[in-house]
Amino acid sequence: MSLAFELSGVSVRRGRTDLLQDCSISLPRGGFLAVLGPNGAGKSTLLGLLSASQRASAGCVRLLGAEPFLLSGLARCRLRRRIGWVPQLHTKGADGVPLTVGEVVEMGRAGVRGLGRRLTSGDRAICAAAMEQVAVMEIAQRPFGVLSGGEQRKVQIARALAQEPELLLLDEPAGHLDFFWQEVITELIGRLWRDLGLTVVMVTHDPRHLPGGITAAALMERGGIIAFGTPGEVLRSQRLSDLYGLPVRAREVGGRIVVLPEAVL
Amino acid sequence: MSWVYLKWFLAALAGGAGCGLAGAFLVAMNLSFMGVCLSHAALAGAVLAYWIGTPVLVTALLFSMVVAAMVGPIAERTRTHANTIMSILFSMSLGFAFLGIGLMRDHRTELLGLMWGNLLLVRWEDLWPLFAAWLVPLAFAVFFAKEVKAVLFDREIARACGIPAAAISNAIIAFSGIAVTVNLNIVGGLMLFSLLTHPAAAAMQLARRTRDVVVLSMVLGAVSAVGGLCLSYMWDWPAGASIVLVSSFLYAVALVWRGIASGFNP
């Protein structure tokens, strides 16, 4: 089975601190990897490596069959076009340039189409299809800056889908959202993964945000991967208790994983 | 009607529109302070050129480019916010400029001219750099419209989409440095950044699409410069000061307009 990515012995240093230490992890194409861990564990740095924007200070990163930082700058740009990255929520207010939802989604095609080339009608059809997928077609003409956090997140996902990515990276996609939107986003991610045959890596600190049926999970703590395997092996009560520093019980309910403190059970 | 009016008009048009265009890019990228930094660095470079006897335009441009190039790497390596570094570089540049002016008593008139600017002293041969510093970035923005738009919206996301975001934003900053440098004689290094900030800020209040923000910022920049020129000629006011006051007035009008349009609900 061909691998979407493979990290072997990868470390990332900034100044005197190790953001990531000796990480080895891989994912076959079509898989869904959940990365869990407390804040500051190095989850976003890991996504930085996987989006070819962060350089490893040691070890080897293979991403969709290439080593990103052995490529030329332009070739690395072309590699990034095959990877959809949905950043953590940073609400865009009125301060930036005023872009509509449709224009934000078209950014996803801007890279793929190439420098200085106009978007074609085919590109616009792909954008429309991406907006249909995440149900933001009705708000295509609205300014992105006035949307709620959940809507902005859906638009960012549509923008990543417009790239027609082979690998989709999600950084806390349901974080900072209310309960309704957490469920909407979780359901959406599960559906996109199953329907589109994407490879997905999702970072979260809350196992409740994971859709059912995912294929792999990893736990991170202080820049290291402390567990990696199938969700059944990794997302166990004892491991999660150690990770959170609190006795918890993990249960599978309808394919999804629910974690509750032992004290309430 | 004398040709001299046409010369003044063309200089004000190109200078104002060029600064308005550069300003729209900087303000949209949340780098309005970069304009202050660039313009004062160019001023220091020009003063330095008089001191060591190098070509004024080239030295000023070089100085503003070096200062612009210093901001990013220092911010990354020292955990100081880019705005703090820019204020340090800005005051350092101003210190250099004042030092030069204090030391070189023979050149004081020219040097003060760089500080305050004087549109009425513009020469025909000053016009082509002004037009180049406006039209070349404009052509760039038209040709790379979708890339520029993406970078103005969010640099990190633009990069993740596979757009060479660093190259695009460096080009934008370099164009701004060039626009600032060629406008030193017109508006003056001390107040030049207002022509980079005010038209763009006013355009952001009024326009709803990225292209409209850029076009309106150019128009307002040109109106500020031409309007300032008229005031300066009619009442014998200093040109730089008149331009700054017109651009501030236009920003105030934009705020009021926006207030009326939205029923005073921001």
Side-chain angles (χ1 to χ4, degrees), chain B residues 13-200:
Chain B
L13 176 76
C19 285
L21 178 64
F25 292 152
L26 292 180
V27 169
M29 285 164 66
N30 251 330
L31 283 175
S32 16
F33 213 71
M34 183 65 99
V36 184
C37 204
L38 286 172
S39 61
H40 289 83
L43 175 66
V47 171
L48 188 76
Y50 275 100
W51 202 343
I52 58 179
T54 47
V56 176
L57 213 60
V58 178
T59 319
L61 183 62
L62 212 64
F63 219 79
S64 68
M65 290 296 104
V66 168
V67 165
M70 279 160 75
V71 177
I74 298 180
E76 266 170 38
R77 282 181 182 74
T78 61
R79 279 189 253 155
T80 316
H81 196 277
N83 270 340
T84 313
I85 295 162
M86 285 193 272
S87 23
I88 292 167
L89 290 171
F90 145 70
S91 46
M92 184 194 79
S93 304
L94 204 55
F96 266 120
F98 276 117
L99 178 69
I101 291 167
L103 290 179
M104 288 180 292
R105 287 163 210 282
D106 322 339
H107 287 294
R108 192 157 280 175
T109 326
E110 292 102 306
L111 293 178
L112 285 177
L114 289 173
M115 290 230 145
W116 310 119
N118 197 341
L119 182 53
L120 305 183
L121 293 182
V122 73
R123 295 161 300 172
W124 281 108
E125 60 265 35
D126 296 332
L127 285 182
W128 74 262
L130 285 171
F131 273 90
W134 167 33
L135 296 176
V136 172
L138 185 59
F140 176 86
V142 170
F143 188 72
F144 294 112
K146 69 186 195 314
E147 285 83 8
V148 168
K149 193 158 87 172
V151 169
L152 293 187
F153 178 70
D154 189 306
R155 216 182 112 161
E156 249 190 301
I157 292 175
R159 182 173 72 162
C161 293
I163 293 165
I168 300 270
S169 71
N170 287 341
I172 286 172
I173 291 171
F175 286 141
S176 310
I178 294 169
V180 161
T181 308
V182 299
N183 277 289
L184 268 184
N185 292 324
I186 313 286
V187 191
L190 275 188
M191 286 179 288
L192 186 51
F193 65 87
S194 72
L195 206 48
L196 286 170
T197 319
H198 301 187

Side-chain angles (χ1 to χ4, degrees), chain A residues 53 81 92 99 103 114 117, chain B residues 146 149 153 159 162 210:
Chain A
S53 57
R81 290 166 195 168
K92 280 253 165 204
L99 251 56
E103 288 176 306
R117 301 222 176 97
Chain B
K146 69 186 195 314
K149 193 158 87 172
F153 178 70
R159 182 173 72 162
T210 308

Side-chain angles (χ1 to χ4, degrees), chain B residues 16 19-21 23-24 27 192-206 213-214 216-225 243 247-248 250-251 254:
Chain B
C19 285
L21 178 64
V27 169
L192 186 51
F193 65 87
S194 72
L195 206 48
L196 286 170
T197 319
H198 301 187
M204 296 274 262
Q205 289 294 322
L206 299 174
V213 168
V214 173
L216 192 59
S217 180
M218 275 194 309
V219 170
L220 291 175
V223 171
S224 304
I243 292 172
S247 72
S248 309
L250 288 176
Y251 177 66

Side-chain angles (χ1 to χ4, degrees), chain A residues 60-232:
Chain A
C60 175
V61 178
R62 285 192 75 80
L63 202 52
L64 302 174
E67 289 187 47
F69 284 90
L70 294 183
L71 298 173
S72 69
L74 266 181
R76 194 157 55 243
C77 271
R78 280 197 288 274
L79 177 63
R80 289 194 190 112
R81 290 166 195 168
R82 298 161 61 197
I83 301 166
W85 174 70
V86 178
Q88 283 190 41
L89 185 66
H90 48 149
T91 317
K92 280 253 165 204
D95 54 336
V97 286
L99 251 56
T100 62
V101 166
E103 288 176 306
V104 172
V105 175
E106 280 176 7
M107 277 174 68
R109 290 313 290 170
V112 178
R113 184 47 52 213
L115 269 177
R117 301 222 176 97
R118 305 249 162 229
L119 295 186
T120 62
S121 53
D123 289 322
R124 287 182 211 289
I126 290 168
C127 290
M131 286 192 277
E132 287 288 350
Q133 286 279 0
V134 303
V136 292
M137 203 57 187
E138 326 62 82
I139 55 170
Q141 295 305 317
R142 292 187 59 195
F144 181 78
V146 306
L147 301 182
S148 74
E151 288 173 316
Q152 288 199 358
R153 195 65 62 88
K154 283 211 293 186
V155 174
Q156 290 288 3
I157 293 174
R159 193 260 312 148
L161 289 182
Q163 284 173 247
E164 300 189 306
E166 294 162 53
L167 175 62
L168 182 65
L169 307 173
L170 303 160
D171 198 347
E172 301 277 6
H176 303 286
L177 299 178
D178 62 34
F179 186 73
F180 170 78
W181 277 107
Q182 291 175 25
E183 282 307 309
V184 168
I185 297 289
T186 303
E187 188 277 330
L188 173 67
I189 290 167
R191 181 162 52 80
L192 293 176
W193 172 56
R194 282 188 298 271
D195 293 356
L196 301 179
L198 295 165
T199 311
V200 179
V201 178
M202 172 170 160
V203 154
T204 179
H205 60 257
D206 192 341
R208 273 187 314 143
H209 295 159
L210 295 173
I214 63 172
T215 63
L219 301 184
M220 291 189 76
E221 195 175 28
R222 274 178 264 125
I225 291 170
I226 55 171
F228 170 52
T230 64

